[in-house]
Amino acid sequence: MTDPADFTLIEAADAVAARKVSSVELTKAVLARAKAWQPKINAFIALDEEGALAAAARADEAPARGKLHGVPLAHKDMYYRAGRVATCGSAIRRDWRADTTATALARIDAAGAVDLGTLNMAEFAFGPTGHNYHHGHCRNPWNPAHMTGGSSSGSGAAVAARAALAALGSDTGGSIRMPAFCNGLAGIKPTWGRVSRAGAMPLSWSMDTVGPLARTVADCARVFGAIAGPDPADPTAAAEPVDDYEAACGKPIAGLRVGIPKGYFDQGLAPEIEAALTAAAKIFEKLGAKLVTVAMPDLDAINAAGSLITLSEAASAHRPWLIERPQDYSEQVRARLMPGLAVPAVAYLDALRARAAAIPGFVASVFGACDALLCPVSDRPVPTIAETDVAGGPAMPGLLAALTRLSRPFNVLGLPALSIPCGFDAKGLPLGFQLAGRPFAEATLFALGHAYERETQVHRRVPAP
Amino acid sequence: MNLPLSPEHCAELARALGVTATPAQGQAMATSLAPALTKVATLRVSFEAEPAAYAANIAKGRAP
């Protein structure tokens, strides 16, 4: 019999619903993976074995609550649950208990999921590599010497190791897509406002987004469908109608236009990345999609605006702790927060105004020509933890900017982007790409991603314990 | 690299907001901000453009 931990989320949910496996059996199998992997990858900050098994037992007794009934998940340790510690990957909040529950968590609870505990993350979600100097670095299950990507490091590592069937991450500059890329997973950075941020730790409130990482595109779509939609607790949550994302997986993609960017996204790529993108484009063409070349506008300026916005908003949020507890930040995070204190107000406002003004032109020129843009997430294969261990030194700003260069533009423009695995490099580390779309076009991205995945079956490969 | 803000000025701004900043931190702040500030300074945004248009423009971008 297949180990239930090897099920995809949808297979697991179906098996529980059909009483072919109990939630307790499933949860025990996933907990066994979590405990076996934890010393190697440090994906969990807190694993709640007792609570998870009790919740699984209740799920087995109760009628099905929703599409995640009895399925064990775990989430980045920045989603508040009333009464539980949410460290936010920091020392400052090591013992801080939330008094509310995040809307995204409440919706996942309402769909019946079992919560395994909290996952490692970059300190205050401010880092793209997976290093954490307070809770220990998170390590890549495909090769623990390599980085997981961040800031949703534990989300990427745990799901890849089958230590959770899906996980919430958050994405302000690439923090879902980079771990999805590094760990061989699907991960959706939604349109800004598509998912409520209520009860999620803020980093940069005007760019933060909430989304899942999962083994498959369809798994991702199922979790996304559970959390998307308006929320009175978050005034920035959009009132736009929510599509049936799971139904989109399986829709024909013939005739959809896949954009191949000319400029910006094709610059400075490692040969492995370039080859992976070319191969992915050929698959889409084989599946009936039409490849079209799309000229890119100046995204360096967009990225610069995004950088100033994040620095300003993060520095504003963190200023009380920078005054009272500067020693409790890691050197890198303190060094990244401090510059925000010196951003001129006019530069911040110009960045905000330029960002808002850029959206209509970008959407018209790019998504007038294609339905989804095929781009790299990273310009390089997954680096090692040592190669990216720059702490707060002089190499830090350049390296971190380079790692987020290809993901950040979609945060600045508020657009959705789905990261999809597409193979492995010569060292056995995952490779991937992202599909970006017009606002609220997540269903189109899921349709394309699912068709690609079904054709390639890359998601079937599992890291060796 | 040409620094749009001096290290001393960056450190002073931090101190004005109550945050302790050493000269070395002022230097790091100035160096870190330089690329983005330089680029944003070249942006020309229309007189009427407002930050609040962000959410509205995202919503307008939805497929017809």
Side-chain angles (χ1 to χ4, degrees), chain A residues 14 43 52 77 83 89 151 169 212 218 224 237 239 241 253 260 300 323 378 390 418 433:
Chain A
D14 288 350
D77 195 16
S151 62
F224 190 63
I253 66 159
I260 308 299
D300 280 325
I323 294 170
S378 168
V390 289
L418 173 67
F433 61 86

Side-chain angles (χ1 to χ4, degrees), chain A residues 194 224-225 228 240-246 248 440-444, chain B residues 62:
Chain A
R194 178 69 298 175
F224 190 63
E240 301 294 319
V242 176
D243 294 321
D244 186 341
Y245 303 112
E246 204 174 332
F440 301 102
E442 284 88 351
T444 303
Chain B
R62 187 173 183 136

Side-chain angles (χ1 to χ4, degrees), chain A residues 324-346:
Chain A
E324 292 158 13
R325 304 183 62 178
Q327 73 285 356
D328 291 333
Y329 287 100
S330 69
E331 185 192 350
Q332 180 176 105
V333 169
R334 192 175 62 246
R336 293 192 76 195
L337 287 169
M338 292 284 287
L341 298 168
V343 175
V346 170

Side-chain angles (χ1 to χ4, degrees), chain B residues 3 7 13 26 30-31 34 36 42 50 52-54 60:
Chain B
L3 298 179
L13 285 169
T31 307
T42 67
E50 290 185 18
Y54 185 57
K60 281 181 203 161

Side-chain angles (χ1 to χ4, degrees), chain A residues 191-192 206 240-241 243 298 301 304-305 308 319 323 338-339 341-343 347 353-356 359 411-412 414 438-440, chain B residues 5 10 13-14 17-21 25 29 32-33 36-37 39-40 43 45-47 49-51 54 57-59 61-63:
Chain A
T191 306
W192 186 77
S206 77
E240 301 294 319
D243 294 321
D298 177 12
L308 290 193
R319 191 170 69 90
I323 294 170
M338 292 284 287
L341 298 168
V343 175
R353 295 192 319 127
R355 174 182 73 167
I359 295 168
N411 297 85
V412 185
R438 63 165 60 238
F440 301 102
Chain B
L5 295 175
C10 287
L13 285 169
L17 291 167
V19 178
T20 303
Q25 285 172 318
M29 292 164 72
S32 172
L33 282 176
L37 266 185
K39 192 77 185 174
V40 167
L43 293 174
V45 190
S46 90
F47 183 70
E50 290 185 18
Y54 185 57
N57 284 347
I58 289 173
R62 187 173 183 136

Side-chain angles (χ1 to χ4, degrees), chain A residues 278-301:
Chain A
T278 304
K282 282 183 182 160
I283 299 274
F284 282 116
E285 193 170 35
K286 180 183 163 193
L287 293 169
K290 187 179 172 196
L291 303 184
V292 292
T293 302
V294 182
M296 287 296 108
D298 177 12
L299 291 172
D300 280 325

Side-chain angles (χ1 to χ4, degrees), chain A residues 21-67:
Chain A
V21 64
S22 70
S23 176
V24 167
E25 288 169 318
L26 176 66
T27 302
K28 278 183 177 172
V30 174
L31 281 168
R33 293 285 177 99
K35 288 191 284 185
W37 274 101
Q38 180 64 8
K40 295 175 195 163
I41 61 174
N42 194 31
F44 280 83
I45 286 183
L47 185 60
D48 181 12
E49 187 172 3
E50 196 180 322
L53 287 172
R58 287 195 299 274
D60 285 333
E61 297 293 316
R65 296 180 68 193
K67 287 187 158 190

